[in-house]
């Protein structure tokens, strides 16, 4: 008897699980900052001086249209800063010229850095306010590249009239963990800038500079002799010339002969309001009224700037007249010249 044996064949299927990984691009960014040169600054004008600079950022290796995360840290600079409130920064010479760099055009948001354990940028524990960091989250293009620019706003502050003339500067470096560092921390989006890790960092140097130039301003009060009749005795009065010059700057103050024809720097003339009549007067630099104040080197008044107003008294005199002048109003205009 032939037995029929049925055999069941089992098929063994072999499976190899190959996990799918999305390609992670090697994001590489660079950042540069233009030098910020305030040029010539006349501090005695007592005005803010504002300029702008540009941070340029270029990235490659991102995924197409990927969102990125930038945290730009600006440390104190070689000139230092006020550690109590991070304002101002300083440019150094023989003294510190106060300035700062801001991230907004209203000059209200100081551009700073953060400094906490796990994320050392400035090697300075004073930087503990992370929201001073400029943060941005732009998108790469379809090729995975990014190029962009961010404006920095610089201001030299008013109120520094006593600052001596000279060149001032503060440098920022690419040196890691330096108080003068400028650093771009970057990664794929979207960790906050106060995160302690996971950021790549790149740096670049730049310089902030200004040239404080010598200068003076001047103002003068009227020399008013009041009302007189016969002029049979001297009539005296005083006025003031106020000079503000850069600290340490030597200057000389000269007074012209006036605008009335025939006047000189030793005997000036006031002219009648409606006729050709004149009344002579003199101007001196001393209370005894012996030192003539004119516009020659020998009778100028000399001084040295302090950055604040220096007042010089003008001692005026209408000498006694043998003949009483015509009644009426008399005047003259004298020009004050500052030489420095």
């Amino acid at each position: 008897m032939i037995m029929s044996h049925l055999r069941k064949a089992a098929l063994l299927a072999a499976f190899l699980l190959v996990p799918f990984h999305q390609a992670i691009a090697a994001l590489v960014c660079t950042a540069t900052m233009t030098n910020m040169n305030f040029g010539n600054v006349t501090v005695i004008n007592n005005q803010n001086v504002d300029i702008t600079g540009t941070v340029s950022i270029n990235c490659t290796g991102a995924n197409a249209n990927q969102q990125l995360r930038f945290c730009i840290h600006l440390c104190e600079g070689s000139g230092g800063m006020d550690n109590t409130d991070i304002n101002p920064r300083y440019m150094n010479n023989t003294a510190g010229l106060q300035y700062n760099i801001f991230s907004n055009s209203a000059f209200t948001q100081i551009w700073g850095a953060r400094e906490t354990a796990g994320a050392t940028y400035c090697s300075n524990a004073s930087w503990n306010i992370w929201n001073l960091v400029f943060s941005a989250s732009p998108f790469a293009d379809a090729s995975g590249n990014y190029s962009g620019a961010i404006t920095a706003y610089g201001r030299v502050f008013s109120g520094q009239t006593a600052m001596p003339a000279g060149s001032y500067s503060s440098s920022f470096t690419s040196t890691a963990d330096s108080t003068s560092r400028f650093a771009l921390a970057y990664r794929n989006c979207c960790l906050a800038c106060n995160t302690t890790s996971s950021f790549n960092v790149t740096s670049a140097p730049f310089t902030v500079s200004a040239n404080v130039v010598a200068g003076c301003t001047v103002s003068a009060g009227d020399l008013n002799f009041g009302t007189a009749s016969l002029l049979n005795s001297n009539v005296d009065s005083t006025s003031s010339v106020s000079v503000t010059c850069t600290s340490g700057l030597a200057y000389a103050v000269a007074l012209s002969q006036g605008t009335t024809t025939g006047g000189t720097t030793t005997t000036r003339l006031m002219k009648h309001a409606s006729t050709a009549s004149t009344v002579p007067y003199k101007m001196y630099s001393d209370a005894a009224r012996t030192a003539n104040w004119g516009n020659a080197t020998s009778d100028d008044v000399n001084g040295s700037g302090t950055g604040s107003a220096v007042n010089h008294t003008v001692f005026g005199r209408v000498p006694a007249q043998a003949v009483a002048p015509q009644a009426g109003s008399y005047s003259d205009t004298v020009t004050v010249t500052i030489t420095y």
Side-chain angles (χ1 to χ4, degrees), residues 38-209:
F38 287 90
N40 291 334
V41 176
T42 306
V43 292
I44 61 163
N45 289 341
N46 202 21
Q47 297 175 340
N48 294 329
V49 179
D50 299 336
I51 62 169
T52 60
T54 302
V55 177
S56 298
I57 301 175
N58 293 281
C59 298
T60 59
N63 292 320
N65 305 311
Q66 181 180 21
Q67 191 172 17
L68 308 175
R69 183 62 164 173
F70 299 147
C71 302
I72 308 175
H73 301 260
L74 198 59
C75 300
E76 62 186 81
S78 63
M81 67 178 186
D82 187 333
N83 284 339
T84 60
D85 61 3
I86 319 176
N87 188 39
R89 287 181 169 100
Y90 296 97
M91 287 180 270
N92 282 343
N93 186 289
T94 54
L97 184 65
Q98 299 178 6
Y99 82 102
N100 223 324
I101 298 175
F102 299 84
S103 58
N104 65 332
S105 59
F107 298 91
T108 57
Q109 182 63 49
I110 296 170
W111 193 331
R114 64 176 296 270
E115 188 78 354
T116 58
T120 302
Y121 296 98
C122 300
S123 185
N124 187 332
S126 297
W127 293 109
N128 56 9
I129 306 174
W130 70 270
N131 60 5
L132 294 178
V133 180
F134 187 100
S135 61
S137 301
F139 287 85
D141 61 21
S143 299
N145 300 323
Y146 172 82
S147 293
I150 298 169
T151 301
Y153 300 88
R155 168 168 285 179
V156 170
F157 298 112
S158 62
Q160 302 184 79
T161 57
M163 197 61 53
S167 298
Y168 294 77
S169 65
S170 182
S171 60
F172 290 80
T173 179
S174 58
T175 304
D177 303 336
S178 165
T179 56
S180 301
R181 193 181 190 187
F182 160 66
L184 168 68
Y186 66 91
R187 57 158 287 130
N188 301 334
C189 200
C190 285
L191 293 179
C193 289
N194 62 340
T195 303
T196 58
S197 61
S198 302
F199 280 90
N200 296 313
V201 182
T202 183
S203 297
F206 73 96
T207 300
V208 180
S209 60

Side-chain angles (χ1 to χ4, degrees), residues 216-219 241-245 251 253 308-312 336 338:
C216 294
T217 61
V218 61
S219 60
V241 174
S242 180
V243 180
T244 303
C245 288
Y251 64 86
V253 186
S308 300
V310 177
N311 293 321
H312 300 276
V336 181
I338 308 298

